[in-house]
Amino acid sequence: YSVASFDKYLKEGYENSIESLKASAPTNTEAETKQLEYITNNFITVQTILKTYEPSSQIKNIISKLPPMDVYIIMENWCGSSANIVPYAVKMLNTIAETKIHVVPRDVNEDFMNLYLSDGKKSIPIIIGFDKTGNELFKWGSATSVQTEYSKHLQAQKMEFSDFILAMKKWFLEHNEEAIEGDFISVFNELLLKQNMNYQ
């Protein structure tokens, strides 16, 4: 599979892609112009979260008990959900000793993506943790449980798509961090519970 470290993906997936699209701007198609806008905005979001987010004491306490892992994140630079979720997960997971994070770009790794479909769809981001012998420890994605419920609530109102996007952006700003930590607290507590059962 085509895999990169998270830092390498920040450089190649975001920075280099933005530079390339800017360089070809005079001849870019409408789709490429939109892609440049998406990737640029997403990169700003990623950088902001990485600079400002600090995992809570509660999740730090849970993470301190977790074993070393290899974590694979299926994402894409054009994906707004990836930009709004993955940096939080990376900041949390980076505090686990001897843990390596690998980015698996969805569009060039179809076989891997097909192993982690959500209701038959290639929804991203997907985050999968493995122990150092290759056993799968957890799988999360592609949205927090709170986000999913709120999205369903908005869709039930049959609002215009532009209004839906604005409402979701507002939700991300106000509730995303809390929702992500809540999901991963549940994921990691379940993992710890399984570990304790295996030790008994």
Side-chain angles (χ1 to χ4, degrees), residues 79-138:
C79 174
S81 290
S82 294
N84 279 282
I85 292 171
V86 170
Y88 288 107
V90 168
K91 288 289 290 272
M92 288 187 280
L93 293 163
N94 269 338
T95 65
I96 305 173
E98 299 179 48
T99 289
K100 294 183 179 180
I101 298 174
H102 315 271
V103 173
V104 185
R106 186 194 76 167
D107 296 344
V108 293
N109 292 284
E110 187 173 2
D111 290 346
F112 191 75
M113 179 71 251
N114 286 337
L115 298 174
Y116 295 99
L117 300 177
S118 302
D119 296 325
K121 298 178 182 178
K122 297 178 182 179
S123 302
I124 51 176
I126 301 292
I127 302 172
I128 316 107
F130 298 86
D131 66 20
K132 291 300 182 176
T133 59
N135 297 306
E136 186 176 311
L137 296 174
F138 72 87

Short mmCIF file of all heavy atoms in Angstrom, two decimals, residues 79-138:
data_model
loop_
_atom_site.label_atom_id
_atom_site.label_comp_id
_atom_site.label_asym_id
_atom_site.label_seq_id
_atom_site.Cartn_x
_atom_site.Cartn_y
_atom_site.Cartn_z
N CYS A 79 -10.62 16.19 1.95
CA CYS A 79 -11.73 15.81 2.82
C CYS A 79 -11.80 16.69 4.06
O CYS A 79 -10.89 16.68 4.90
CB CYS A 79 -11.59 14.34 3.23
SG CYS A 79 -12.81 13.78 4.42
N GLY A 80 -12.88 17.46 4.19
CA GLY A 80 -13.05 18.34 5.33
C GLY A 80 -13.17 17.60 6.64
O GLY A 80 -12.65 18.06 7.68
N SER A 81 -13.83 16.46 6.64
CA SER A 81 -13.96 15.68 7.87
C SER A 81 -12.60 15.19 8.35
O SER A 81 -12.30 15.21 9.55
CB SER A 81 -14.89 14.47 7.64
OG SER A 81 -16.22 14.89 7.48
N SER A 82 -11.75 14.77 7.41
CA SER A 82 -10.39 14.35 7.78
C SER A 82 -9.64 15.49 8.43
O SER A 82 -8.96 15.31 9.45
CB SER A 82 -9.63 13.86 6.54
OG SER A 82 -10.20 12.68 6.01
N ALA A 83 -9.75 16.68 7.86
CA ALA A 83 -9.03 17.84 8.39
C ALA A 83 -9.52 18.22 9.79
O ALA A 83 -8.74 18.67 10.62
CB ALA A 83 -9.20 19.03 7.44
N ASN A 84 -10.80 18.02 10.04
CA ASN A 84 -11.39 18.41 11.32
C ASN A 84 -11.29 17.33 12.40
O ASN A 84 -11.60 17.61 13.56
CB ASN A 84 -12.86 18.78 11.12
CG ASN A 84 -13.05 20.18 10.59
OD1 ASN A 84 -12.96 21.15 11.33
ND2 ASN A 84 -13.30 20.30 9.30
N ILE A 85 -10.89 16.12 12.03
CA ILE A 85 -10.86 15.02 12.99
C ILE A 85 -9.46 14.47 13.20
O ILE A 85 -9.01 14.30 14.34
CB ILE A 85 -11.79 13.88 12.52
CG1 ILE A 85 -13.26 14.34 12.60
CG2 ILE A 85 -11.58 12.62 13.35
CD1 ILE A 85 -14.25 13.38 11.97
N VAL A 86 -8.74 14.21 12.13
CA VAL A 86 -7.45 13.52 12.23
C VAL A 86 -6.43 14.23 13.13
O VAL A 86 -5.76 13.56 13.93
CB VAL A 86 -6.86 13.27 10.82
CG1 VAL A 86 -5.41 12.78 10.91
CG2 VAL A 86 -7.71 12.27 10.06
N PRO A 87 -6.28 15.57 13.07
CA PRO A 87 -5.28 16.21 13.94
C PRO A 87 -5.52 15.96 15.43
O PRO A 87 -4.57 15.80 16.19
CB PRO A 87 -5.41 17.70 13.60
CG PRO A 87 -6.04 17.74 12.27
CD PRO A 87 -6.94 16.54 12.18
N TYR A 88 -6.79 15.92 15.83
CA TYR A 88 -7.10 15.61 17.23
C TYR A 88 -6.61 14.20 17.58
O TYR A 88 -5.99 13.99 18.63
CB TYR A 88 -8.60 15.70 17.49
CG TYR A 88 -9.16 17.10 17.50
CD1 TYR A 88 -9.94 17.57 16.46
CD2 TYR A 88 -8.92 17.95 18.58
CE1 TYR A 88 -10.46 18.86 16.47
CE2 TYR A 88 -9.44 19.24 18.61
CZ TYR A 88 -10.21 19.69 17.55
OH TYR A 88 -10.72 20.97 17.57
N ALA A 89 -6.93 13.25 16.72
CA ALA A 89 -6.53 11.87 16.96
C ALA A 89 -5.01 11.74 17.00
O ALA A 89 -4.46 11.02 17.85
CB ALA A 89 -7.11 10.96 15.88
N VAL A 90 -4.33 12.42 16.09
CA VAL A 90 -2.87 12.36 16.05
C VAL A 90 -2.27 12.90 17.34
O VAL A 90 -1.34 12.31 17.91
CB VAL A 90 -2.33 13.13 14.83
CG1 VAL A 90 -0.82 13.33 14.92
CG2 VAL A 90 -2.68 12.38 13.54
N LYS A 91 -2.78 14.03 17.83
CA LYS A 91 -2.25 14.62 19.07
C LYS A 91 -2.46 13.66 20.24
O LYS A 91 -1.61 13.55 21.12
CB LYS A 91 -2.94 15.96 19.36
CG LYS A 91 -2.52 17.10 18.45
CD LYS A 91 -1.10 17.58 18.71
CE LYS A 91 -0.89 18.31 20.01
NZ LYS A 91 -1.13 19.75 19.97
N MET A 92 -3.59 12.95 20.27
CA MET A 92 -3.84 11.98 21.33
C MET A 92 -2.91 10.78 21.20
O MET A 92 -2.24 10.38 22.15
CB MET A 92 -5.29 11.52 21.30
CG MET A 92 -6.29 12.54 21.78
SD MET A 92 -7.98 11.86 21.91
CE MET A 92 -8.51 11.90 20.20
N LEU A 93 -2.86 10.21 20.00
CA LEU A 93 -2.11 8.97 19.77
C LEU A 93 -0.61 9.18 19.90
O LEU A 93 0.11 8.25 20.28
CB LEU A 93 -2.46 8.41 18.39
CG LEU A 93 -3.90 7.92 18.24
CD1 LEU A 93 -4.27 7.77 16.77
CD2 LEU A 93 -4.08 6.58 18.96
N ASN A 94 -0.14 10.37 19.61
CA ASN A 94 1.30 10.64 19.70
C ASN A 94 1.82 10.58 21.13
O ASN A 94 3.03 10.54 21.35
CB ASN A 94 1.62 12.01 19.09
CG ASN A 94 1.96 11.92 17.62
OD1 ASN A 94 2.35 10.86 17.11
ND2 ASN A 94 1.81 13.02 16.90
N THR A 95 0.91 10.60 22.11
CA THR A 95 1.35 10.54 23.50
C THR A 95 1.53 9.09 23.97
O THR A 95 1.99 8.87 25.09
CB THR A 95 0.33 11.25 24.43
OG1 THR A 95 -0.91 10.56 24.41
CG2 THR A 95 0.11 12.69 23.99
N ILE A 96 1.17 8.13 23.13
CA ILE A 96 1.37 6.71 23.48
C ILE A 96 2.80 6.32 23.11
O ILE A 96 3.21 6.46 21.95
CB ILE A 96 0.38 5.79 22.75
CG1 ILE A 96 -1.06 6.25 23.01
CG2 ILE A 96 0.57 4.34 23.18
CD1 ILE A 96 -2.09 5.48 22.19
N ALA A 97 3.55 5.83 24.06
CA ALA A 97 4.96 5.49 23.83
C ALA A 97 5.12 4.48 22.70
O ALA A 97 4.34 3.53 22.58
CB ALA A 97 5.56 4.93 25.12
N GLU A 98 6.12 4.70 21.86
CA GLU A 98 6.50 3.78 20.78
C GLU A 98 5.38 3.52 19.79
O GLU A 98 5.32 2.47 19.15
CB GLU A 98 6.99 2.45 21.37
CG GLU A 98 8.22 2.59 22.25
CD GLU A 98 8.65 1.25 22.82
OE1 GLU A 98 8.73 0.28 22.06
OE2 GLU A 98 8.90 1.20 24.04
N THR A 99 4.49 4.49 19.66
CA THR A 99 3.39 4.34 18.71
C THR A 99 3.71 5.08 17.41
O THR A 99 4.17 6.22 17.44
CB THR A 99 2.08 4.88 19.32
OG1 THR A 99 1.65 3.97 20.34
CG2 THR A 99 0.98 5.01 18.27
N LYS A 100 3.49 4.41 16.29
CA LYS A 100 3.75 5.00 14.98
C LYS A 100 2.41 5.23 14.26
O LYS A 100 1.54 4.37 14.28
CB LYS A 100 4.64 4.09 14.13
CG LYS A 100 6.05 3.94 14.69
CD LYS A 100 6.91 3.08 13.78
CE LYS A 100 8.33 2.97 14.33
NZ LYS A 100 9.17 2.12 13.44
N ILE A 101 2.31 6.39 13.63
CA ILE A 101 1.10 6.74 12.90
C ILE A 101 1.39 6.76 11.41
O ILE A 101 2.36 7.38 10.96
CB ILE A 101 0.57 8.12 13.35
CG1 ILE A 101 0.20 8.06 14.84
CG2 ILE A 101 -0.64 8.54 12.51
CD1 ILE A 101 -0.20 9.39 15.42
N HIS A 102 0.57 6.06 10.64
CA HIS A 102 0.74 5.95 9.20
C HIS A 102 -0.52 6.47 8.51
O HIS A 102 -1.63 6.11 8.89
CB HIS A 102 0.96 4.49 8.78
CG HIS A 102 1.94 3.75 9.65
ND1 HIS A 102 3.29 3.72 9.40
CD2 HIS A 102 1.75 3.02 10.78
CE1 HIS A 102 3.90 3.00 10.32
NE2 HIS A 102 2.98 2.56 11.18
N VAL A 103 -0.34 7.30 7.49
CA VAL A 103 -1.46 7.78 6.70
C VAL A 103 -1.58 6.93 5.44
O VAL A 103 -0.61 6.71 4.73
CB VAL A 103 -1.28 9.26 6.31
CG1 VAL A 103 -2.38 9.70 5.33
CG2 VAL A 103 -1.31 10.13 7.55
N VAL A 104 -2.81 6.44 5.19
CA VAL A 104 -3.10 5.65 4.00
C VAL A 104 -4.07 6.46 3.13
O VAL A 104 -5.27 6.49 3.41
CB VAL A 104 -3.74 4.29 4.37
CG1 VAL A 104 -3.92 3.42 3.14
CG2 VAL A 104 -2.91 3.58 5.43
N PRO A 105 -3.59 7.15 2.10
CA PRO A 105 -4.50 7.91 1.24
C PRO A 105 -5.55 7.00 0.61
O PRO A 105 -5.21 5.97 0.01
CB PRO A 105 -3.57 8.51 0.19
CG PRO A 105 -2.23 8.55 0.84
CD PRO A 105 -2.19 7.32 1.69
N ARG A 106 -6.82 7.37 0.77
CA ARG A 106 -7.90 6.50 0.33
C ARG A 106 -7.89 6.18 -1.16
O ARG A 106 -8.03 5.01 -1.56
CB ARG A 106 -9.25 7.15 0.67
CG ARG A 106 -10.45 6.25 0.39
CD ARG A 106 -11.76 7.02 0.40
NE ARG A 106 -11.94 7.80 -0.82
CZ ARG A 106 -13.09 8.36 -1.19
NH1 ARG A 106 -14.15 8.23 -0.41
NH2 ARG A 106 -13.17 9.05 -2.29
N ASP A 107 -7.70 7.20 -1.99
CA ASP A 107 -7.96 7.05 -3.42
C ASP A 107 -6.94 6.19 -4.15
O ASP A 107 -7.20 5.74 -5.26
CB ASP A 107 -8.07 8.42 -4.08
CG ASP A 107 -9.26 9.22 -3.56
OD1 ASP A 107 -10.16 8.60 -2.95
OD2 ASP A 107 -9.29 10.45 -3.76
N VAL A 108 -5.76 5.97 -3.56
CA VAL A 108 -4.75 5.12 -4.20
C VAL A 108 -4.55 3.82 -3.44
O VAL A 108 -3.62 3.06 -3.72
CB VAL A 108 -3.40 5.86 -4.36
CG1 VAL A 108 -3.53 7.01 -5.33
CG2 VAL A 108 -2.88 6.35 -3.01
N ASN A 109 -5.42 3.57 -2.47
CA ASN A 109 -5.34 2.34 -1.68
C ASN A 109 -6.72 1.70 -1.56
O ASN A 109 -7.23 1.45 -0.46
CB ASN A 109 -4.77 2.64 -0.28
CG ASN A 109 -3.32 3.07 -0.32
OD1 ASN A 109 -2.43 2.25 -0.48
ND2 ASN A 109 -3.08 4.37 -0.20
N GLU A 110 -7.32 1.43 -2.71
CA GLU A 110 -8.70 0.95 -2.74
C GLU A 110 -8.88 -0.37 -2.00
O GLU A 110 -9.87 -0.57 -1.29
CB GLU A 110 -9.16 0.80 -4.19
CG GLU A 110 -10.64 0.48 -4.33
CD GLU A 110 -11.12 0.49 -5.77
OE1 GLU A 110 -10.28 0.71 -6.67
OE2 GLU A 110 -12.32 0.28 -5.98
N ASP A 111 -7.93 -1.28 -2.14
CA ASP A 111 -8.04 -2.59 -1.48
C ASP A 111 -8.09 -2.44 0.03
O ASP A 111 -8.88 -3.11 0.71
CB ASP A 111 -6.87 -3.50 -1.88
CG ASP A 111 -6.95 -3.96 -3.33
OD1 ASP A 111 -8.03 -3.79 -3.93
OD2 ASP A 111 -5.94 -4.46 -3.85
N PHE A 112 -7.24 -1.56 0.56
CA PHE A 112 -7.23 -1.35 2.01
C PHE A 112 -8.52 -0.66 2.45
O PHE A 112 -9.12 -1.03 3.45
CB PHE A 112 -6.01 -0.50 2.40
CG PHE A 112 -5.77 -0.44 3.88
CD1 PHE A 112 -5.24 -1.52 4.56
CD2 PHE A 112 -6.07 0.72 4.60
CE1 PHE A 112 -5.01 -1.47 5.92
CE2 PHE A 112 -5.85 0.78 5.97
CZ PHE A 112 -5.32 -0.31 6.63
N MET A 113 -8.95 0.34 1.68
CA MET A 113 -10.20 1.05 2.00
C MET A 113 -11.36 0.09 2.03
O MET A 113 -12.25 0.19 2.89
CB MET A 113 -10.43 2.16 0.96
CG MET A 113 -11.73 2.95 1.16
SD MET A 113 -11.73 4.05 2.59
CE MET A 113 -12.86 3.21 3.70
N ASN A 114 -11.39 -0.85 1.11
CA ASN A 114 -12.51 -1.79 1.03
C ASN A 114 -12.61 -2.71 2.25
O ASN A 114 -13.66 -3.31 2.48
CB ASN A 114 -12.40 -2.64 -0.24
CG ASN A 114 -12.75 -1.84 -1.48
OD1 ASN A 114 -13.46 -0.84 -1.41
ND2 ASN A 114 -12.27 -2.30 -2.64
N LEU A 115 -11.55 -2.78 3.02
CA LEU A 115 -11.58 -3.57 4.25
C LEU A 115 -12.31 -2.84 5.37
O LEU A 115 -12.71 -3.44 6.37
CB LEU A 115 -10.16 -3.90 4.72
CG LEU A 115 -9.29 -4.74 3.78
CD1 LEU A 115 -7.88 -4.85 4.34
CD2 LEU A 115 -9.89 -6.13 3.60
N TYR A 116 -12.50 -1.52 5.20
CA TYR A 116 -13.04 -0.71 6.29
C TYR A 116 -14.16 0.21 5.80
O TYR A 116 -14.20 1.40 6.13
CB TYR A 116 -11.91 0.11 6.93
CG TYR A 116 -10.89 -0.77 7.60
CD1 TYR A 116 -9.69 -1.08 6.97
CD2 TYR A 116 -11.15 -1.32 8.85
CE1 TYR A 116 -8.76 -1.92 7.58
CE2 TYR A 116 -10.23 -2.16 9.47
CZ TYR A 116 -9.04 -2.45 8.83
OH TYR A 116 -8.13 -3.28 9.45
N LEU A 117 -15.07 -0.35 5.03
CA LEU A 117 -16.21 0.41 4.54
C LEU A 117 -17.19 0.71 5.67
O LEU A 117 -17.30 -0.06 6.63
CB LEU A 117 -16.92 -0.36 3.42
CG LEU A 117 -16.09 -0.70 2.18
CD1 LEU A 117 -16.92 -1.52 1.20
CD2 LEU A 117 -15.55 0.56 1.51
N SER A 118 -17.91 1.81 5.54
CA SER A 118 -18.95 2.18 6.50
C SER A 118 -20.30 2.07 5.79
O SER A 118 -20.60 2.87 4.90
CB SER A 118 -18.75 3.61 7.01
OG SER A 118 -17.48 3.76 7.62
N ASP A 119 -21.07 1.05 6.14
CA ASP A 119 -22.34 0.80 5.46
C ASP A 119 -22.15 0.69 3.95
O ASP A 119 -22.94 1.20 3.16
CB ASP A 119 -23.37 1.90 5.77
CG ASP A 119 -23.73 1.93 7.25
OD1 ASP A 119 -23.79 0.85 7.87
OD2 ASP A 119 -23.96 3.03 7.78
N GLY A 120 -21.05 0.06 3.56
CA GLY A 120 -20.76 -0.14 2.14
C GLY A 120 -20.17 1.06 1.44
O GLY A 120 -19.91 1.01 0.23
N LYS A 121 -19.91 2.14 2.18
CA LYS A 121 -19.39 3.37 1.58
C LYS A 121 -17.94 3.61 2.00
O LYS A 121 -17.52 3.21 3.08
CB LYS A 121 -20.25 4.56 2.01
CG LYS A 121 -21.70 4.47 1.55
CD LYS A 121 -22.49 5.65 2.06
CE LYS A 121 -23.96 5.56 1.64
NZ LYS A 121 -24.76 6.70 2.17
N LYS A 122 -17.21 4.31 1.14
CA LYS A 122 -15.80 4.59 1.40
C LYS A 122 -15.67 5.90 2.20
O LYS A 122 -14.93 6.81 1.82
CB LYS A 122 -15.03 4.68 0.08
CG LYS A 122 -15.03 3.38 -0.71
CD LYS A 122 -14.30 3.53 -2.04
CE LYS A 122 -14.34 2.23 -2.82
NZ LYS A 122 -13.67 2.36 -4.14
N SER A 123 -16.37 5.98 3.29
CA SER A 123 -16.36 7.19 4.12
C SER A 123 -15.04 7.30 4.89
O SER A 123 -14.49 6.29 5.35
CB SER A 123 -17.52 7.15 5.11
OG SER A 123 -18.76 7.03 4.43
N ILE A 124 -14.54 8.52 5.00
CA ILE A 124 -13.30 8.77 5.73
C ILE A 124 -13.48 9.99 6.63
O ILE A 124 -14.39 10.78 6.40
CB ILE A 124 -12.11 8.99 4.76
CG1 ILE A 124 -12.45 10.06 3.70
CG2 ILE A 124 -11.68 7.69 4.13
CD1 ILE A 124 -11.30 10.41 2.76
N PRO A 125 -12.63 10.08 7.66
CA PRO A 125 -11.46 9.27 7.96
C PRO A 125 -11.81 7.98 8.71
O PRO A 125 -12.84 7.91 9.39
CB PRO A 125 -10.63 10.18 8.86
CG PRO A 125 -11.66 10.99 9.60
CD PRO A 125 -12.75 11.24 8.59
N ILE A 126 -10.95 6.99 8.55
CA ILE A 126 -11.02 5.75 9.31
C ILE A 126 -9.70 5.60 10.05
O ILE A 126 -8.63 5.80 9.46
CB ILE A 126 -11.24 4.52 8.40
CG1 ILE A 126 -12.53 4.66 7.58
CG2 ILE A 126 -11.25 3.24 9.22
CD1 ILE A 126 -13.80 4.61 8.39
N ILE A 127 -9.75 5.27 11.32
CA ILE A 127 -8.54 5.14 12.14
C ILE A 127 -8.52 3.74 12.75
O ILE A 127 -9.47 3.34 13.42
CB ILE A 127 -8.52 6.21 13.25
CG1 ILE A 127 -8.59 7.61 12.62
CG2 ILE A 127 -7.26 6.06 14.12
CD1 ILE A 127 -8.77 8.74 13.61
N ILE A 128 -7.45 2.99 12.46
CA ILE A 128 -7.34 1.60 12.91
C ILE A 128 -6.05 1.42 13.69
O ILE A 128 -4.98 1.82 13.22
CB ILE A 128 -7.35 0.61 11.73
CG1 ILE A 128 -8.43 0.99 10.70
CG2 ILE A 128 -7.58 -0.81 12.24
CD1 ILE A 128 -7.89 1.57 9.43
N GLY A 129 -6.14 0.84 14.87
CA GLY A 129 -4.97 0.57 15.68
C GLY A 129 -4.63 -0.91 15.71
O GLY A 129 -5.52 -1.75 15.83
N PHE A 130 -3.34 -1.22 15.58
CA PHE A 130 -2.85 -2.60 15.64
C PHE A 130 -1.77 -2.69 16.71
O PHE A 130 -1.02 -1.74 16.92
CB PHE A 130 -2.23 -3.03 14.31
CG PHE A 130 -3.19 -3.03 13.14
CD1 PHE A 130 -3.41 -1.87 12.41
CD2 PHE A 130 -3.86 -4.18 12.78
CE1 PHE A 130 -4.29 -1.86 11.34
CE2 PHE A 130 -4.74 -4.19 11.70
CZ PHE A 130 -4.96 -3.02 10.98
N ASP A 131 -1.70 -3.86 17.36
CA ASP A 131 -0.58 -4.06 18.27
C ASP A 131 0.68 -4.37 17.45
O ASP A 131 0.62 -4.48 16.22
CB ASP A 131 -0.88 -5.13 19.33
CG ASP A 131 -1.04 -6.54 18.74
OD1 ASP A 131 -0.55 -6.80 17.62
OD2 ASP A 131 -1.65 -7.38 19.42
N LYS A 132 1.79 -4.52 18.13
CA LYS A 132 3.06 -4.66 17.42
C LYS A 132 3.24 -6.03 16.76
O LYS A 132 4.21 -6.25 16.04
CB LYS A 132 4.23 -4.39 18.38
CG LYS A 132 4.33 -2.92 18.81
CD LYS A 132 4.54 -2.00 17.62
CE LYS A 132 4.68 -0.54 18.04
NZ LYS A 132 4.98 0.36 16.91
N THR A 133 2.27 -6.93 16.97
CA THR A 133 2.31 -8.21 16.26
C THR A 133 1.28 -8.27 15.15
O THR A 133 1.10 -9.30 14.51
CB THR A 133 2.08 -9.39 17.24
OG1 THR A 133 0.79 -9.23 17.87
CG2 THR A 133 3.16 -9.44 18.30
N GLY A 134 0.60 -7.16 14.91
CA GLY A 134 -0.32 -7.08 13.78
C GLY A 134 -1.77 -7.38 14.08
O GLY A 134 -2.59 -7.43 13.16
N ASN A 135 -2.11 -7.57 15.35
CA ASN A 135 -3.50 -7.82 15.70
C ASN A 135 -4.27 -6.50 15.79
O ASN A 135 -3.79 -5.54 16.41
CB ASN A 135 -3.60 -8.54 17.06
CG ASN A 135 -2.95 -9.91 17.02
OD1 ASN A 135 -3.27 -10.73 16.18
ND2 ASN A 135 -2.01 -10.14 17.94
N GLU A 136 -5.46 -6.45 15.18
CA GLU A 136 -6.26 -5.23 15.22
C GLU A 136 -6.80 -4.99 16.63
O GLU A 136 -7.42 -5.86 17.22
CB GLU A 136 -7.42 -5.32 14.23
CG GLU A 136 -8.21 -4.03 14.12
CD GLU A 136 -9.29 -4.10 13.05
OE1 GLU A 136 -8.99 -4.52 11.91
OE2 GLU A 136 -10.46 -3.74 13.36
N LEU A 137 -6.56 -3.79 17.15
CA LEU A 137 -6.99 -3.43 18.49
C LEU A 137 -8.29 -2.64 18.48
O LEU A 137 -9.14 -2.83 19.34
CB LEU A 137 -5.90 -2.61 19.19
CG LEU A 137 -4.57 -3.31 19.44
CD1 LEU A 137 -3.56 -2.33 20.01
CD2 LEU A 137 -4.76 -4.50 20.39
N PHE A 138 -8.41 -1.72 17.52
CA PHE A 138 -9.63 -0.93 17.43
C PHE A 138 -9.79 -0.37 16.03
O PHE A 138 -8.84 -0.28 15.26
CB PHE A 138 -9.63 0.22 18.45
CG PHE A 138 -8.68 1.34 18.11
CD1 PHE A 138 -9.07 2.39 17.28
CD2 PHE A 138 -7.39 1.36 18.62
CE1 PHE A 138 -8.20 3.43 16.97
CE2 PHE A 138 -6.51 2.40 18.32
CZ PHE A 138 -6.93 3.43 17.48
#
